[in-house]
Amino acid sequence: MSAVTTTERSHPILTALLLAVLVAGLNVGLWFLGNIPRGPDDWNGPISGFAFTAYQRYQNPMRGDFSSDPEITGDLHLVHRYSPRIRTYSMLENPQTIRLADKEGLDVMAGAQIDTRLENNEREIDALIAQAHRFPKTISRVIVGNEVLYRGDLKPEQMMAYLDRVRAAVHQPVSMAEPFHVWMQNPELADHVDFITVHLFPYWNGIDRKDAVPDSIGTREADGSKDTDGSFQALQHRFPGKHIVIGEIGWPSNGDRHEYAYPTVSNEAIFLRDFFNMAKRKGIDDYYVLEAIDQPWKENLGEGRTGAYWGMFNADRQLKFPFKGPVTEDTSWPWKAFAASALAFFPMVWFGSRFRRFKLMGRLFFMALLQLACGLIVWSATLPFNFYLSPFDWAMLILLFPAQIAILAILLINGFEFTEVLWRREWIRHAGMLPYDPVEKQPFVSIHLACHNEPPEMVQITLDSLARLNYENFEVLVLDNNTKDPAVWEPVKAYCEKLGPKFRFFHLEPWPGYKAGALNFGLTATDERADVVAVIDADYEVREDWLAALTGYFHDSKVAVVQCPQAHREFENNRFRRMTAWEYDGFFRIGMHHRNERNAIIQHGTMTMVRRSALEGTGGWSEWTICEDAELGLRLMHAGYELVYVDELMGKGLTPADFKAYKSQRYRWAFGAMQILKGRWSWMTRKGPLSAGQRFHFLTGWFSWFADALHFIFTMMGLLWTAGMIYAPQYFNLPMQLFLIPVIGFFFAKAIFGFVLYRARVPCSWYDTIMASVASMGLSHAIARGILHGLTREKTAFVVTAKSRRMGGSSFAAFAPVREEGLMAIALLCAVIGMAMHYGTSYVESVLWMFILTAQSIPYVSALVGAWIAHTAGDEAG
């Protein structure tokens, strides 16, 4: 181990390069594993026939588009290279196809389009009869209707009448095309056709591709097995003596999973090559592959995305797979893997050399995270080109791609904290307790206690703890801010007089500026001897050695702040206070240490000491933001001062009284954070007094709260999109996996990071960890509102966090503070039920979407759980 350490110290760049090369190699290996060539049997012979539709890449018959003669001729020539036969579906759409096929020398099984439009059916049949007479050699067979009974457009009796009429008018054999089960359920149809035309689609039967074409050909029971061989044999058994034509058979190369059937290029290639070889062995030489060329316009015809990807050629007329040798799912994977590795390489080298103080495993982990993020960017940027996206899809992609980048950025930021906390060798800026100064060297401390409508007995407990301080040179200023009721503030005033001259009381009414305004008044009343101003909340009990053990840091003129954790008491026997106390503890045990490494802590308005000259010299407490404490810390950093974080519980206060107070406090913090972000934007984005590490933490430290705001926005978009998929499916498709997988991955990664860090750093049980997570997630909506309001509004009211129990209220009233969360949870539940009823589990995208909707509901359900616990725990011992 020592040799490794020596090598790392001597050659940090070399070590970083080796790690980056290792991770890049693993990345290439993963891309290779996802694209391992698979080797079905080669196919050497011609293909029996193709279902042929002539529309080009951007044409759509639903809009009245039609192909030109040169376009159709080019497609027919392409098909003729692989097969002598085609099958068509309509005589009125692109009617020149028969004439051009005649010139190309192709055999045509011509079809008439039959549906609910009876007059159009007449025109189709008349055209079919006329063309059959005009091209008797080219049109070898005719098909009257394609899956008409399957769609339920007409009744069997109507179809039999059409069939009899056409059979009487043409010399060619006549049939109709339907799926396997329609023929089995309507055997009387066989008496009205000259041959049976069946569609066999193991994909739509939901079976795995490997089971779609059996390896061995044996005798089966005539039970209509879902695979191709079983279905074909069942038809032979049911209709002996009737020739059977497989009118459509194939496998899609893209789109939605259907039960166990996955649409991929390699699955399409293997299925078709296996089927071609099986058909040759069995002597089945009358089949038509669906289809010759992909038809993007079919994507919105009720088959999901899959309908566009049945072609053996893509819409650009390129063969999707070879007929010989192994099949690779994505032939362009090498350059994508290289692009992902190249994109991540220099960031990995920089990180590996810059943070060599991290343990080897930590550097390897974060470099792998960087590589994963770059791989997802390349995958997300290239995957859309595998689909025939509409302008609407592209618009959504353009809107969502930046959001995916933001998700990856948040993941990397959380991952960096995860890495530093778990795999540091030591804390660089660790600060602990100091030896006591003799009285003559003690800095004079002015302790400012701002309060507003606080219960007198609670403030008196705080004052008692201050009176017990093991320190000589201090004073206490109690700054009562706009408390209206004399019965609330006068007992505190009297108590201060009882405690002696060190305790001075000021009642400020009316007084502007909220807490910051009161604290600024305190500066004007502070003893001129004071070197340090300390601030605590009115509910805190402090340790006797708070000042004695920490004021020594101010002997260093660079130090402007000494901050201790915001900790809590009297919560162990109250379920709500317990879960919130441990939720608070996570930030001070994890996040504050992480930020402290780069002198970038968030200053808090309690258990903090500030150098008076620095406080007054930089402008005092800011009254333009409701988070004056955090703004002061940033301002002092900008002025070049050091902020010291001592992770020692020097004082403990009370948690918020109920869920309403808990939410209100976090809303205020989020709103104030956005005020600071807007007001000090130039400090954080331009090179200046703040270090790169400080700018990083103050720009990214609130990203997790931005994630809550994005969660709310995505939830609203998700609800609207779900409603569109259910009520207007012609316009709203199932979201692509491209949009879904990164979101699900982010959800799991963030949950794992949080749990692992809590277990490593916070001294609580598994139960407390889970409940703290519930408490944290229950704040998501309040934070989202705070972020969005803070970005769009200048000011909001400063609401003091209630710390004492508010009496009254029914069980129903317990949920009043979370009625918005309740409505969101109900809406998401309805969306999941609607998706389940409308789409079921046939498509992987629908399952993923229901999972996402369920995951999106967790914060809202957590808020309901938190509100209920707060209500029922109200009478428990605290």
Side-chain angles (χ1 to χ4, degrees):
M1 182 67 185
S2 59
V4 173
T5 304
T6 302
T7 301
E8 289 184 42
R9 289 176 179 173
S10 303
H11 307 285
I13 297 295
L14 178 60
T15 303
L17 282 169
L18 290 174
L19 290 175
V21 169
L22 174 62
V23 174
L26 291 173
N27 169 66
V28 173
L30 288 174
W31 280 88
F32 171 76
L33 288 175
N35 293 277
I36 293 177
R38 292 191 274 177
D41 292 339
D42 292 348
W43 173 247
N44 298 299
I47 295 168
S48 171
F50 282 105
F52 179 80
T53 308
Y55 297 106
Q56 305 298 301
R57 169 69 177 86
Y58 296 103
Q59 293 176 343
N60 186 342
M62 313 299 287
R63 299 194 303 256
D65 298 336
F66 296 102
S67 301
S68 66
D69 283 15
E71 289 171 337
I72 297 175
T73 298
D75 288 346
L76 292 174
H77 184 70
L78 176 65
V79 169
H80 201 183
R81 292 165 52 190
Y82 296 87
S83 175
R85 299 193 296 185
I86 63 170
R87 176 196 168 183
T88 64
Y89 292 87
S90 172
M91 303 307 297
L92 300 181
E93 294 179 6
N94 296 315
Q96 69 271 46
T97 300
I98 305 298
R99 170 174 55 81
L100 298 174
D102 178 68
K103 289 184 178 180
E104 183 65 32
L106 285 165
D107 177 271
V108 179
M109 183 163 73
Q113 182 174 312
I114 304 296
D115 51 37
T116 56
R117 300 169 298 170
L118 298 182
E119 292 184 3
N120 190 73
N121 293 346
E122 293 297 323
R123 291 193 292 270
E124 283 277 352
I125 289 175
D126 289 344
L128 176 64
I129 294 172
Q131 292 282 54
H133 290 162
R134 181 180 176 189
F135 298 101
K137 293 182 179 180
T138 298
I139 298 179
S140 60
R141 291 175 292 200
V142 298
I143 300 293
V144 181
N146 186 70
E147 298 187 348
V148 179
L149 299 183
Y150 171 72
R151 294 191 304 271
D153 288 348
L154 299 177
K155 296 180 179 179
E157 293 76 16
Q158 293 173 288
M159 286 305 303
M160 288 186 283
Y162 282 146
L163 290 165
D164 291 342
R165 174 178 159 192
V166 174
R167 290 177 75 193
V170 302
H171 300 291
Q172 292 92 335
V174 177
S175 183
M176 61 184 292
E178 293 288 349
F180 166 81
H181 70 276
V182 173
W183 287 105
M184 299 298 284
Q185 294 169 4
N186 299 277
E188 67 277 9
L189 294 172
D191 295 331
H192 299 267
V193 297
D194 299 306
F195 60 97
I196 290 174
T197 305
V198 65
H199 295 169
L200 300 180
F201 289 113
Y203 169 83
W204 287 121
N205 290 331
I207 65 175
D208 196 312
R209 192 272 313 152
K210 64 182 176 60
D211 300 319
V213 180
D215 295 329
S216 59
I217 308 301
T219 302
R220 300 175 184 269
E221 296 293 329
D223 59 356
S225 176
K226 292 183 178 182
D227 66 55
T228 52
D229 183 42
S231 298
F232 193 84
Q233 287 194 42
L235 280 173
Q236 287 181 320
H237 180 82
R238 183 66 182 84
F239 301 106
K242 280 283 187 182
H243 180 63
I244 298 174
V245 174
I246 301 176
E248 291 180 355
I249 189 164
W251 195 278
S253 62
N254 209 338
D256 310 311
R257 186 193 76 170
H258 184 69
E259 297 179 13
Y260 298 101
Y262 286 85
T264 66
V265 172
S266 56
N267 276 346
E268 179 183 29
I270 294 169
F271 172 81
L272 286 177
R273 282 166 60 169
D274 284 349
F275 172 74
F276 294 158
N277 283 294
M278 184 201 78
K280 184 176 181 180
R281 290 193 302 270
K282 292 200 64 168
I284 301 174
D285 58 358
D286 212 346
Y287 60 82
Y288 293 82
V289 173
L290 182 77
E291 58 191 316
I293 301 166
D294 279 353
Q295 297 295 304
W297 63 274
K298 291 184 178 181
E299 189 169 288
N300 297 315
L301 294 185
E303 297 181 12
R305 295 188 179 275
T306 308
Y309 303 97
W310 289 88
M312 202 174 76
F313 299 89
N314 63 29
D316 295 321
R317 277 52 185 171
Q318 298 169 331
L319 190 65
K320 294 180 183 177
F321 54 85
F323 288 108
K324 295 182 180 180
V327 176
T328 301
E329 179 62 32
D330 183 0
T331 57
S332 60
W333 75 263
W335 77 261
K336 293 179 184 177
F338 175 79
S341 294
L343 190 61
F345 192 78
F346 290 106
M348 287 194 295
V349 172
W350 175 85
F351 177 83
S353 59
R354 173 67 176 79
F355 293 95
R356 56 185 180 274
R357 62 187 176 83
F358 291 179
K359 295 177 181 178
L360 187 66
M361 182 56 69
R363 280 176 287 163
L364 191 62
F365 170 80
F366 192 76
M367 290 164 81
L369 204 60
L370 281 169
Q371 181 64 81
L372 174 64
C374 292
L376 284 172
I377 290 172
V378 171
W379 178 75
S380 298
T382 57
L383 186 64
F385 296 97
N386 294 341
F387 292 85
Y388 304 123
L389 299 182
S390 67
F392 184 75
D393 289 326
W394 278 112
M396 290 302 299
L397 182 64
I398 291 169
L399 288 174
L400 291 176
F401 190 75
Q404 289 199 2
I405 297 297
I407 286 173
L408 289 175
I410 294 170
L411 180 65
L412 288 173
I413 291 163
N414 289 342
F416 177 57
E417 178 186 61
F418 184 84
T419 303
E420 182 163 58
V421 172
L422 286 187
W423 285 298
R424 72 195 184 282
R425 288 195 171 94
E426 60 183 2
W427 293 120
I428 295 175
R429 299 185 76 249
H430 175 73
M433 311 285 280
L434 297 177
Y436 296 178
D437 283 333
V439 174
E440 62 272 13
K441 290 188 176 181
Q442 288 180 349
F444 193 95
V445 181
S446 182
I447 301 173
H448 295 181
L449 191 159
C451 55
H452 169 76
N453 276 330
E454 308 289 2
E457 59 275 12
M458 183 178 74
V459 183
Q460 290 168 5
I461 291 173
T462 301
L463 294 174
D464 284 338
S465 73
L466 293 173
R468 292 192 295 268
L469 283 172
N470 181 16
Y471 202 80
E472 289 296 323
N473 299 325
F474 78 96
E475 67 171 354
V476 176
L477 307 186
V478 179
L479 309 168
D480 184 76
N481 167 24
N482 293 306
T483 301
K484 303 294 184 183
D485 188 354
V488 175
W489 63 264
E490 286 183 347
V492 178
K493 177 182 179 182
Y495 204 75
C496 287
E497 293 172 351
K498 176 182 175 182
L499 289 172
K502 284 188 176 182
F503 291 79
R504 292 189 283 155
F505 180 88
F506 300 89
H507 176 63
L508 310 174
E509 183 186 359
W511 198 259
Y514 303 111
K515 182 179 180 180
L519 291 174
N520 280 329
F521 171 84
L523 290 177
T524 66
T526 296
D527 191 305
E528 63 181 17
R529 295 172 296 167
D531 298 309
V532 176
V533 173
V535 179
I536 63 169
D537 283 345
D539 58 305
Y540 265 69
E541 282 189 80
V542 300
R543 271 173 42 175
E544 294 179 2
D545 59 343
W546 173 37
L547 301 183
L550 297 178
T551 52
Y553 281 107
F554 289 101
H555 294 314
D556 183 349
S557 61
K558 293 181 180 179
V559 173
V561 172
V562 177
Q563 176 75 55
C564 292
Q566 183 175 330
H568 300 91
R569 58 186 167 88
E570 301 176 15
F571 63 82
E572 290 82 358
N573 298 317
N574 182 290
R575 287 175 297 154
F576 175 68
R577 291 186 183 270
R578 185 184 186 98
M579 66 192 289
T580 55
W582 288 119
E583 189 271 330
Y584 285 112
D585 208 47
F587 176 73
F588 290 94
R589 300 279 183 169
I590 300 167
M592 283 286 272
H593 281 283
H594 176 56
R595 300 178 69 105
N596 188 52
E597 289 294 86
R598 281 154 291 280
N599 188 32
I601 66 169
I602 295 286
Q603 185 179 7
H604 286 72
T606 189
M607 298 311 299
T608 187
M609 290 185 278
V610 189
R611 185 181 297 276
R612 181 183 183 181
S613 60
L615 173 57
E616 294 179 334
T618 57
W621 299 94
S622 295
E623 298 181 24
W624 55 267
T625 172
I626 57 176
C627 284
E628 71 290 328
D629 43 7
E631 193 279 333
L632 174 63
L634 176 62
R635 182 158 27 101
L636 293 172
M637 293 173 203
H638 189 264
Y641 287 103
E642 295 281 322
L643 281 69
V644 175
Y645 176 62
V646 181
D647 190 4
E648 187 74 26
L649 303 186
M650 304 302 290
K652 297 180 180 180
L654 299 175
T655 64
D658 49 36
F659 205 81
K660 180 179 180 180
Y662 187 45
K663 276 183 57 178
S664 173
Q665 183 189 63
R666 204 59 57 97
Y667 172 88
R668 172 165 59 86
W669 291 354
F671 190 101
M674 294 305 98
Q675 286 181 311
I676 297 170
L677 190 67
K678 293 187 297 183
R680 303 304 188 193
W681 179 254
S682 62
W683 288 6
M684 292 180 270
T685 56
R686 298 176 187 173
K687 192 172 182 179
L690 293 178
S691 69
Q694 289 169 331
R695 293 199 305 273
F696 168 79
H697 280 294
F698 274 90
L699 275 175
T700 66
W702 292 308
F703 269 29
S704 291
W705 285 358
F706 276 112
D708 288 308
L710 285 174
H711 175 271
F712 172 73
I713 293 170
F714 283 165
T715 299
M716 296 302 297
M717 292 174 62
L719 290 171
L720 292 173
W721 194 271
T722 302
M725 287 190 290
I726 294 173
Y727 296 107
Q730 67 273 28
Y731 301 111
F732 294 85
N733 290 320
L734 282 166
M736 296 167 57
Q737 294 184 39
L738 164 66
F739 302 145
L740 305 181
I741 291 177
V743 174
I744 294 174
F746 172 76
F747 173 81
F748 278 110
K750 200 166 184 291
I752 292 169
F753 286 170
F755 266 95
V756 172
L757 285 180
Y758 247 79
R759 299 307 302 148
R761 294 289 302 167
V762 182
C764 63
S765 66
W766 270 104
Y767 170 81
D768 288 325
T769 300
I770 293 171
M771 295 307 293
S773 298
V774 172
S776 177
M777 289 186 293
L779 293 169
S780 177
H781 187 65
I783 292 170
R785 293 178 72 250
I787 294 293
L788 296 174
H789 288 171
L791 290 173
T792 57
R793 302 177 184 177
E794 290 299 319
K795 293 184 179 180
T796 190
F798 187 107
V799 179
V800 175
T801 304
K803 299 295 179 69
S804 59
R805 173 72 176 170
R806 291 177 277 205
M807 303 302 293
S810 63
S811 296
F812 182 78
F815 297 108
V818 291
R819 53 182 175 271
E820 290 183 7
E821 290 91 330
L823 291 173
M824 293 292 288
I826 292 171
L828 286 163
L829 174 63
C830 292
V832 171
I833 294 173
M835 287 293 298
M837 294 176 63
H838 195 78
Y839 288 94
T841 58
S842 297
Y843 303 113
V844 66
E845 284 79 3
S846 66
V847 174
L848 291 175
W849 187 248
M850 285 188 283
F851 176 86
I852 286 179
L853 292 173
T854 303
Q856 285 179 317
S857 72
I858 292 175
Y860 305 111
V861 174
S862 297
L864 297 173
V865 171
W868 179 251
I869 290 176
H871 177 75
T872 56
D875 298 325
E876 297 173 2

